[in-house]
Amino acid sequence: FAAKRGPITEQDIRILSAFGRQAAAAIGSERRRLQIEVTQELVFRMQSSLQDEAQILQWIAHWLVDDLGYVGAMVAPYESDDSLPVYAMYVDPQCASSAQIEQWERQVSQFTDHPVSISDRNVARVYVQQDPYSHNLSVRAAATGAPVTSNELYDLLRPIVPLAAKPIVHAIQQSLDICQVIAVPFFLEAHNGERVHRELYGNLFAATRSRTFRPSEIALLRAVGQQAAIGLHNARLYHRAREQRQAAQLFSRMAFNASRSVHALSNHLSVLRMHLTLLERLPPAERDALLTEKSPQVQARVEAAANLLSTLRAPWQQVSDEATDVNDCLRGALNRAFNDREGTLVAVTLDLTDTPLPVQLAPEMLTEAFRVIINNAIDAIPPQDSAKGKLRLRTWLEEEAIHITIEDNGSGIRPEHLRRIFDIGWTTKETGIGFGLFWTKDYIEGLGGAIKVESQVGEGTRFTLTLPLSANISSSASG
């Protein structure tokens, strides 16, 4: 809305319309950024608790209510007997207490021969392939492979709750101010040549006070569902794994794509935020010209950010191993780090072997591990001293192992911080999340390698990494 003392001209309308489009794009991007932030916490929790399937499901239920603001939520994993039992259920305590829920269950139980419960998995259980359950919201979602909504809470409870108790369920729905419920199935896909097999892992449910679930909400719930499927899949793999390292390697591979997507999304959002700040400071006459000039680039950033958000629905696709040159990965990591920091004047010394250093692994993942360390090295050099900053990358082959050092002359790391830099969630950066070095160490050790750090405050820091040569490569090298 705008008010003007004089007539509103066509030029005014064009400027306001262009600014409105930019504002809409910025609002949408900011909402996606907030969704990424709250989703990150859930993803990291699931990654750090691979062995605890029940805890993962309970986190999801609480997250849907506490962070996304739904009235209530449930999660039901798919079991081998073709059932979907409710393993996790949570209702906003401000809407209904545990005592109130138990009272409602007793009221409904008066209409049937057996007790009714929405929290007891032995009672709150439906069967996907059995006819009596075909109209249940959960079964319909599993059968169609897509989210299903209903304006009736009863559709989520049938036939566990008899039809005669439907008026009571309707009254409960009104007292909770629930307008709509949704069932979201989650799957994992397995590729066999050109054929794709979708394996059902479960359903999640949410109840909202809004008149309807918006498309963006449904997209986010589907993304959460995929995270739940991955979390369940990982937990089950963990229990089957005989060695802890097998699970750690799998964890590193799965975390890689999600971490890279979030990093790229943050870059897009930073550019959009800078663009909006510039618009706010420009006189009205100059805004139109800037909007006309920059709109295609800004729109491209918004679309790229939206695409990155959509990848969270399937963030951890399998990363394939291949013969990889360690030196190439170092050069690639260096280029990426400096591309993110235009104008940085740090002097770089490359002391790499003349011949390739081949290993069998995923090159993108090794490059990302190097980039994390290089980024920290550049960040350790104060901006006012960047012209004096030095970064040295060195590789050599010794005792059937590849050795890599990444060394800077930055501010160094305090002794009390040095022992914590690989801990998940620990960081000294205001915008950091404490994941990069944790992931890097886990990944390098998962390859059978090692990583150590040495640092002196005011003098600099050196990271030293070792990677074993694969058997076939080392034998040919020694021959």
Side-chain angles (χ1 to χ4, degrees):
F1 307 95
K4 186 179 179 182
R5 291 189 176 90
I8 295 179
T9 65
E10 288 296 325
Q11 178 73 0
D12 293 331
I13 294 174
R14 286 196 295 271
I15 291 174
L16 291 170
S17 298
F19 186 77
R21 287 192 294 271
Q22 294 297 326
I27 291 170
S29 297
E30 180 65 10
R31 286 177 177 172
R32 294 186 184 98
R33 185 188 68 81
L34 293 173
Q35 289 175 348
I36 286 292
E37 284 185 357
V38 295
T39 304
Q40 267 188 325
E41 180 181 357
L42 179 65
V43 173
F44 292 154
R45 280 188 174 187
M46 289 194 294
Q47 290 172 350
S48 60
S49 297
L50 290 177
Q51 75 280 12
D52 196 339
E53 180 175 325
Q55 186 65 67
I56 289 173
L57 299 178
Q58 197 62 46
W59 274 336
I60 294 171
H62 279 257
W63 182 80
L64 290 169
V65 174
D66 294 337
D67 291 280
L68 297 189
Y70 292 116
V71 178
M74 296 189 295
V75 188
Y78 184 63
E79 297 197 336
S80 57
D81 63 352
D82 191 49
S83 69
L84 286 163
V86 174
Y87 266 62
M89 188 274 294
Y90 184 61
V91 176
D92 186 348
Q94 296 182 353
C95 297
S97 64
S98 298
Q100 180 65 69
I101 294 173
E102 292 174 0
Q103 180 182 345
W104 287 334
E105 290 175 341
R106 288 193 296 270
Q107 289 177 337
V108 173
S109 298
Q110 296 175 5
F111 292 86
T112 180
D113 296 334
H114 56 79
V116 172
S117 173
I118 60 173
S119 57
D120 184 348
R121 70 188 66 166
N122 295 316
V123 177
R125 180 188 296 258
V126 297
Y127 293 85
V128 176
Q129 301 296 334
Q130 295 186 18
D131 290 340
Y133 300 90
S134 59
H135 295 292
N136 180 276
L137 197 70
S138 177
V139 174
R140 287 162 53 196
T144 59
V148 178
T149 61
S150 174
N151 296 330
E152 294 287 342
L153 177 63
Y154 179 75
D155 288 341
L156 191 60
L157 306 175
R158 64 166 69 195
I160 299 170
V161 174
L163 186 60
K166 185 175 180 180
I168 293 180
V169 175
H170 184 70
I172 295 171
Q173 179 176 344
Q174 287 184 317
S175 68
L176 293 173
D177 199 23
I178 293 173
C179 292
Q180 199 169 62
V181 292
I182 189 170
V184 181
F186 43 88
F187 300 84
L188 284 185
E189 293 184 351
H191 296 264
N192 184 10
E194 296 182 355
R195 300 181 63 183
V196 178
H197 171 68
R198 300 182 74 195
E199 183 179 357
L200 177 66
Y201 264 75
N203 272 356
L204 63 84
F205 317 94
T208 181
R209 297 183 182 91
S210 302
R211 288 181 299 170
T212 184
F213 286 90
R214 297 189 303 273
S216 59
E217 286 184 89
I218 296 176
L220 180 60
L221 289 172
R222 294 186 72 172
V224 173
Q226 286 305 111
Q227 300 295 340
I230 294 166
L232 292 176
H233 179 68
N234 296 343
R236 293 167 186 176
L237 283 178
Y238 185 94
H239 287 299
R240 290 198 298 264
R242 295 185 178 181
E243 297 180 4
Q244 186 177 4
R245 181 47 49 200
Q246 289 177 302
Q249 286 178 312
L250 179 63
F251 165 79
S252 294
R253 287 182 177 274
M254 293 185 299
F256 172 69
N257 282 344
S259 176
R260 183 172 54 178
S261 295
V262 170
H263 173 76
L265 182 62
S266 297
N267 289 339
H268 289 307
L269 293 177
S270 296
V271 172
L272 292 172
R273 190 178 295 108
M274 292 173 57
H275 187 68
L276 286 176
T277 302
L278 179 61
L279 285 175
E280 291 174 353
R281 297 175 179 175
L282 287 176
E286 297 180 26
R287 286 180 186 167
D288 188 44
L290 182 62
L291 287 169
T292 302
E293 177 185 355
K294 296 295 185 180
S295 286
Q297 296 96 316
V298 172
Q299 184 62 34
R301 288 274 186 180
V302 172
E303 291 176 358
N307 291 336
L308 284 169
L309 180 61
S310 68
T311 62
L312 283 175
R313 293 176 56 186
W316 295 323
Q317 299 172 358
Q318 187 76 349
V319 181
S320 59
D321 290 344
E322 58 187 77
T324 302
D325 181 11
V326 170
N327 290 334
D328 284 345
C329 292
L330 271 171
R331 295 187 186 98
L334 192 65
N335 289 335
R336 291 183 187 180
F338 278 95
N339 285 340
D340 292 342
R341 295 172 172 80
E342 295 182 3
T344 301
L345 301 177
V346 174
V348 178
T349 300
L350 290 179
D351 186 8
L352 310 182
T353 58
D354 295 331
T355 57
L357 296 174
V359 288
Q360 191 76 13
L361 45 71
E364 280 290 314
M365 296 183 71
L366 184 60
T367 300
E368 179 65 12
F370 289 153
R371 188 193 66 80
V372 168
I373 299 175
I374 293 172
N375 274 346
N376 279 277
I378 297 174
D379 289 342
I381 299 171
Q384 64 271 18
D385 297 331
S386 63
K388 301 178 183 177
K390 295 180 181 180
L391 181 65
R392 185 190 183 198
L393 278 63
R394 180 178 175 233
T395 61
W396 71 96
L397 186 62
E398 182 180 347
E399 297 179 352
E400 296 296 311
I402 298 170
H403 300 262
I404 308 105
T405 58
I406 301 173
E407 186 174 3
D408 66 75
N409 66 338
S411 56
I413 304 171
R414 297 178 183 176
E416 64 268 26
H417 292 169
L418 197 60
R419 65 179 182 271
R420 300 193 61 192
I421 61 172
F422 295 114
D423 292 348
I424 189 169
W426 188 88
T427 180
T428 58
K429 300 177 182 179
E430 292 183 359
T431 58
I433 58 175
F435 184 71
L437 285 175
F438 164 80
W439 175 85
T440 298
K441 182 175 185 291
D442 191 80
Y443 174 65
I444 295 298
E445 290 180 350
L447 297 172
I451 180 171
K452 66 177 183 178
V453 58
E454 304 163 89
S455 186
Q456 291 291 330
V457 174
E459 296 184 12
T461 302
R462 180 194 298 122
F463 281 85
T464 303
L465 300 84
T466 59
L467 291 172
L469 287 168
S470 59
N472 59 329
I473 295 175
S474 61
S475 61
S476 61
S478 60

mmCIF file of all heavy atoms in Angstrom, residues 28 42 56 103 119 127 132 157 176 184 224 247 309 340 346 355 361 374 418 428 431 434 436 442 444-445 469 476:
data_model
loop_
_atom_site.group_PDB
_atom_site.id
_atom_site.type_symbol
_atom_site.label_atom_id
_atom_site.label_comp_id
_atom_site.label_asym_id
_atom_site.label_seq_id
_atom_site.Cartn_x
_atom_site.Cartn_y
_atom_site.Cartn_z
ATOM 1 N N GLY A 28 9.717 -15.080 0.277
ATOM 2 C CA GLY A 28 9.745 -16.521 0.030
ATOM 3 C C GLY A 28 11.090 -17.126 0.360
ATOM 4 O O GLY A 28 11.176 -18.204 0.954
ATOM 5 N N LEU A 42 16.889 -30.907 13.187
ATOM 6 C CA LEU A 42 16.312 -32.247 13.188
ATOM 7 C C LEU A 42 17.225 -33.233 12.475
ATOM 8 O O LEU A 42 17.450 -34.348 12.949
ATOM 9 C CB LEU A 42 14.935 -32.217 12.523
ATOM 10 C CG LEU A 42 14.212 -33.562 12.416
ATOM 11 C CD1 LEU A 42 13.862 -34.092 13.793
ATOM 12 C CD2 LEU A 42 12.965 -33.442 11.559
ATOM 13 N N ILE A 56 14.403 -41.058 17.393
ATOM 14 C CA ILE A 56 14.269 -40.330 16.135
ATOM 15 C C ILE A 56 12.807 -39.987 15.876
ATOM 16 O O ILE A 56 12.455 -38.846 15.540
ATOM 17 C CB ILE A 56 14.845 -41.162 14.967
ATOM 18 C CG1 ILE A 56 16.374 -41.226 15.076
ATOM 19 C CG2 ILE A 56 14.443 -40.565 13.620
ATOM 20 C CD1 ILE A 56 17.007 -42.161 14.079
ATOM 21 N N GLN A 103 -8.749 -38.966 29.279
ATOM 22 C CA GLN A 103 -10.194 -38.873 29.491
ATOM 23 C C GLN A 103 -10.946 -39.059 28.173
ATOM 24 O O GLN A 103 -11.962 -39.767 28.112
ATOM 25 C CB GLN A 103 -10.557 -37.518 30.099
ATOM 26 C CG GLN A 103 -12.057 -37.341 30.351
ATOM 27 C CD GLN A 103 -12.382 -35.965 30.910
ATOM 28 O OE1 GLN A 103 -11.501 -35.246 31.374
ATOM 29 N NE2 GLN A 103 -13.646 -35.591 30.861
ATOM 30 N N SER A 119 -1.860 -43.582 21.753
ATOM 31 C CA SER A 119 -0.445 -43.608 22.096
ATOM 32 C C SER A 119 0.103 -45.020 22.282
ATOM 33 O O SER A 119 1.314 -45.223 22.208
ATOM 34 C CB SER A 119 -0.193 -42.809 23.381
ATOM 35 O OG SER A 119 -0.976 -43.324 24.446
ATOM 36 N N TYR A 127 -3.522 -51.623 9.252
ATOM 37 C CA TYR A 127 -2.881 -52.552 8.334
ATOM 38 C C TYR A 127 -3.151 -52.112 6.894
ATOM 39 O O TYR A 127 -4.303 -51.941 6.491
ATOM 40 C CB TYR A 127 -3.394 -53.973 8.571
ATOM 41 C CG TYR A 127 -2.971 -54.517 9.919
ATOM 42 C CD1 TYR A 127 -3.711 -54.234 11.069
ATOM 43 C CD2 TYR A 127 -1.811 -55.279 10.047
ATOM 44 C CE1 TYR A 127 -3.313 -54.711 12.315
ATOM 45 C CE2 TYR A 127 -1.410 -55.776 11.286
ATOM 46 C CZ TYR A 127 -2.162 -55.484 12.411
ATOM 47 O OH TYR A 127 -1.771 -55.948 13.638
ATOM 48 N N PRO A 132 -10.688 -53.793 6.092
ATOM 49 C CA PRO A 132 -11.335 -52.954 7.113
ATOM 50 C C PRO A 132 -10.644 -51.602 7.328
ATOM 51 O O PRO A 132 -11.261 -50.670 7.841
ATOM 52 C CB PRO A 132 -11.257 -53.816 8.376
ATOM 53 C CG PRO A 132 -11.152 -55.214 7.874
ATOM 54 C CD PRO A 132 -10.347 -55.127 6.625
ATOM 55 N N LEU A 157 -8.545 -41.951 12.579
ATOM 56 C CA LEU A 157 -8.715 -42.920 13.666
ATOM 57 C C LEU A 157 -9.548 -44.139 13.285
ATOM 58 O O LEU A 157 -9.603 -45.102 14.042
ATOM 59 C CB LEU A 157 -9.371 -42.224 14.875
ATOM 60 C CG LEU A 157 -8.664 -40.960 15.374
ATOM 61 C CD1 LEU A 157 -9.475 -40.315 16.486
ATOM 62 C CD2 LEU A 157 -7.263 -41.281 15.858
ATOM 63 N N LEU A 176 -10.086 -28.755 20.197
ATOM 64 C CA LEU A 176 -8.681 -28.513 19.862
ATOM 65 C C LEU A 176 -8.524 -27.491 18.745
ATOM 66 O O LEU A 176 -7.396 -27.136 18.385
ATOM 67 C CB LEU A 176 -7.998 -29.824 19.454
ATOM 68 C CG LEU A 176 -7.830 -30.874 20.554
ATOM 69 C CD1 LEU A 176 -7.303 -32.181 19.967
ATOM 70 C CD2 LEU A 176 -6.876 -30.366 21.628
ATOM 71 N N VAL A 184 1.220 -38.150 5.672
ATOM 72 C CA VAL A 184 2.296 -38.035 4.680
ATOM 73 C C VAL A 184 3.111 -39.323 4.702
ATOM 74 O O VAL A 184 3.801 -39.608 5.687
ATOM 75 C CB VAL A 184 3.202 -36.830 4.984
ATOM 76 C CG1 VAL A 184 4.296 -36.708 3.923
ATOM 77 C CG2 VAL A 184 2.380 -35.546 5.065
ATOM 78 N N VAL A 224 10.417 -33.657 5.450
ATOM 79 C CA VAL A 224 10.608 -34.226 6.787
ATOM 80 C C VAL A 224 10.363 -35.731 6.760
ATOM 81 O O VAL A 224 11.067 -36.513 7.400
ATOM 82 C CB VAL A 224 9.677 -33.539 7.801
ATOM 83 C CG1 VAL A 224 9.751 -34.232 9.164
ATOM 84 C CG2 VAL A 224 10.041 -32.073 7.949
ATOM 85 N N ALA A 247 29.107 -48.015 10.102
ATOM 86 C CA ALA A 247 28.033 -47.043 10.275
ATOM 87 C C ALA A 247 28.552 -45.622 10.095
ATOM 88 O O ALA A 247 27.877 -44.755 9.524
ATOM 89 C CB ALA A 247 27.400 -47.206 11.651
ATOM 90 N N LEU A 309 16.218 -26.317 -1.776
ATOM 91 C CA LEU A 309 15.316 -26.729 -0.709
ATOM 92 C C LEU A 309 14.613 -28.026 -1.074
ATOM 93 O O LEU A 309 14.430 -28.914 -0.244
ATOM 94 C CB LEU A 309 14.285 -25.633 -0.432
ATOM 95 C CG LEU A 309 13.255 -25.933 0.666
ATOM 96 C CD1 LEU A 309 13.960 -26.145 1.999
ATOM 97 C CD2 LEU A 309 12.253 -24.787 0.783
ATOM 98 N N ASP A 340 34.205 -18.237 -3.113
ATOM 99 C CA ASP A 340 33.273 -17.742 -2.102
ATOM 100 C C ASP A 340 33.762 -16.452 -1.448
ATOM 101 O O ASP A 340 33.030 -15.838 -0.674
ATOM 102 C CB ASP A 340 33.066 -18.798 -1.001
ATOM 103 C CG ASP A 340 32.325 -20.013 -1.522
ATOM 104 O OD1 ASP A 340 31.687 -19.909 -2.577
ATOM 105 O OD2 ASP A 340 32.406 -21.066 -0.864
ATOM 106 N N VAL A 346 45.045 -13.442 0.087
ATOM 107 C CA VAL A 346 45.950 -14.396 0.732
ATOM 108 C C VAL A 346 46.868 -15.034 -0.310
ATOM 109 O O VAL A 346 46.414 -15.468 -1.373
ATOM 110 C CB VAL A 346 45.149 -15.476 1.477
ATOM 111 C CG1 VAL A 346 46.072 -16.547 2.030
ATOM 112 C CG2 VAL A 346 44.330 -14.847 2.582
ATOM 113 N N THR A 355 53.658 -36.233 -9.549
ATOM 114 C CA THR A 355 52.822 -37.312 -10.073
ATOM 115 C C THR A 355 51.512 -37.387 -9.297
ATOM 116 O O THR A 355 51.448 -36.984 -8.135
ATOM 117 C CB THR A 355 53.562 -38.662 -9.959
ATOM 118 O OG1 THR A 355 53.904 -38.876 -8.590
ATOM 119 C CG2 THR A 355 54.823 -38.648 -10.801
ATOM 120 N N LEU A 361 37.848 -43.327 -4.016
ATOM 121 C CA LEU A 361 36.834 -42.713 -3.154
ATOM 122 C C LEU A 361 35.975 -41.774 -3.990
ATOM 123 O O LEU A 361 36.113 -41.706 -5.210
ATOM 124 C CB LEU A 361 37.512 -41.964 -1.984
ATOM 125 C CG LEU A 361 38.729 -41.063 -2.266
ATOM 126 C CD1 LEU A 361 38.369 -39.811 -3.002
ATOM 127 C CD2 LEU A 361 39.438 -40.725 -0.971
ATOM 128 N N ILE A 374 40.380 -25.523 4.368
ATOM 129 C CA ILE A 374 40.897 -24.314 3.723
ATOM 130 C C ILE A 374 40.068 -23.103 4.126
ATOM 131 O O ILE A 374 40.608 -22.014 4.385
ATOM 132 C CB ILE A 374 40.921 -24.497 2.190
ATOM 133 C CG1 ILE A 374 41.958 -25.555 1.807
ATOM 134 C CG2 ILE A 374 41.224 -23.179 1.486
ATOM 135 C CD1 ILE A 374 41.938 -25.951 0.352
ATOM 136 N N LEU A 418 41.420 -25.979 21.142
ATOM 137 C CA LEU A 418 42.026 -26.948 20.241
ATOM 138 C C LEU A 418 41.442 -28.345 20.405
ATOM 139 O O LEU A 418 41.257 -29.066 19.422
ATOM 140 C CB LEU A 418 43.546 -26.974 20.471
ATOM 141 C CG LEU A 418 44.393 -27.607 19.365
ATOM 142 C CD1 LEU A 418 44.201 -26.873 18.054
ATOM 143 C CD2 LEU A 418 45.866 -27.590 19.776
ATOM 144 N N THR A 428 33.255 -21.199 17.128
ATOM 145 C CA THR A 428 33.489 -19.847 17.637
ATOM 146 C C THR A 428 32.940 -18.801 16.668
ATOM 147 O O THR A 428 33.024 -17.615 16.943
ATOM 148 C CB THR A 428 34.996 -19.597 17.827
ATOM 149 O OG1 THR A 428 35.681 -19.786 16.572
ATOM 150 C CG2 THR A 428 35.568 -20.537 18.865
ATOM 151 N N THR A 431 28.000 -17.224 12.873
ATOM 152 C CA THR A 431 27.050 -17.835 11.936
ATOM 153 C C THR A 431 27.333 -19.311 11.708
ATOM 154 O O THR A 431 26.742 -19.922 10.829
ATOM 155 C CB THR A 431 27.087 -17.105 10.585
ATOM 156 O OG1 THR A 431 28.428 -17.156 10.055
ATOM 157 C CG2 THR A 431 26.667 -15.653 10.741
ATOM 158 N N GLY A 434 28.935 -25.570 13.653
ATOM 159 C CA GLY A 434 29.782 -26.568 14.288
ATOM 160 C C GLY A 434 29.664 -27.942 13.685
ATOM 161 O O GLY A 434 29.618 -28.939 14.408
ATOM 162 N N GLY A 436 31.261 -28.633 10.135
ATOM 163 C CA GLY A 436 32.242 -28.883 9.085
ATOM 164 C C GLY A 436 33.419 -29.735 9.513
ATOM 165 O O GLY A 436 33.713 -30.760 8.889
ATOM 166 N N ASP A 442 35.286 -37.219 10.694
ATOM 167 C CA ASP A 442 34.584 -38.492 10.601
ATOM 168 C C ASP A 442 34.776 -39.130 9.229
ATOM 169 O O ASP A 442 34.970 -40.341 9.104
ATOM 170 C CB ASP A 442 33.096 -38.278 10.889
ATOM 171 C CG ASP A 442 32.358 -39.589 11.071
ATOM 172 O OD1 ASP A 442 32.433 -40.163 12.163
ATOM 173 O OD2 ASP A 442 31.711 -40.041 10.111
ATOM 174 N N ILE A 444 37.336 -38.581 6.995
ATOM 175 C CA ILE A 444 38.724 -39.008 6.784
ATOM 176 C C ILE A 444 39.010 -40.298 7.548
ATOM 177 O O ILE A 444 39.624 -41.235 7.021
ATOM 178 C CB ILE A 444 39.701 -37.889 7.204
ATOM 179 C CG1 ILE A 444 39.540 -36.670 6.288
ATOM 180 C CG2 ILE A 444 41.139 -38.392 7.178
ATOM 181 C CD1 ILE A 444 39.853 -36.921 4.843
ATOM 182 N N GLU A 445 38.552 -40.370 8.785
ATOM 183 C CA GLU A 445 38.767 -41.591 9.564
ATOM 184 C C GLU A 445 37.973 -42.758 8.992
ATOM 185 O O GLU A 445 38.396 -43.908 9.089
ATOM 186 C CB GLU A 445 38.390 -41.342 11.025
ATOM 187 C CG GLU A 445 39.365 -40.403 11.730
ATOM 188 C CD GLU A 445 38.992 -40.156 13.187
ATOM 189 O OE1 GLU A 445 37.876 -40.558 13.589
ATOM 190 O OE2 GLU A 445 39.807 -39.553 13.913
ATOM 191 N N LEU A 469 46.736 -45.733 0.702
ATOM 192 C CA LEU A 469 46.558 -46.115 -0.705
ATOM 193 C C LEU A 469 45.717 -47.380 -0.747
ATOM 194 O O LEU A 469 45.850 -48.271 0.083
ATOM 195 C CB LEU A 469 47.906 -46.375 -1.348
ATOM 196 C CG LEU A 469 48.770 -45.139 -1.646
ATOM 197 C CD1 LEU A 469 50.188 -45.573 -1.999
ATOM 198 C CD2 LEU A 469 48.185 -44.331 -2.793
ATOM 199 N N SER A 476 50.613 -51.623 -7.351
ATOM 200 C CA SER A 476 51.168 -51.193 -8.633
ATOM 201 C C SER A 476 52.223 -50.127 -8.431
ATOM 202 O O SER A 476 53.217 -50.052 -9.156
ATOM 203 C CB SER A 476 50.063 -50.665 -9.547
ATOM 204 O OG SER A 476 49.431 -49.536 -8.945
#
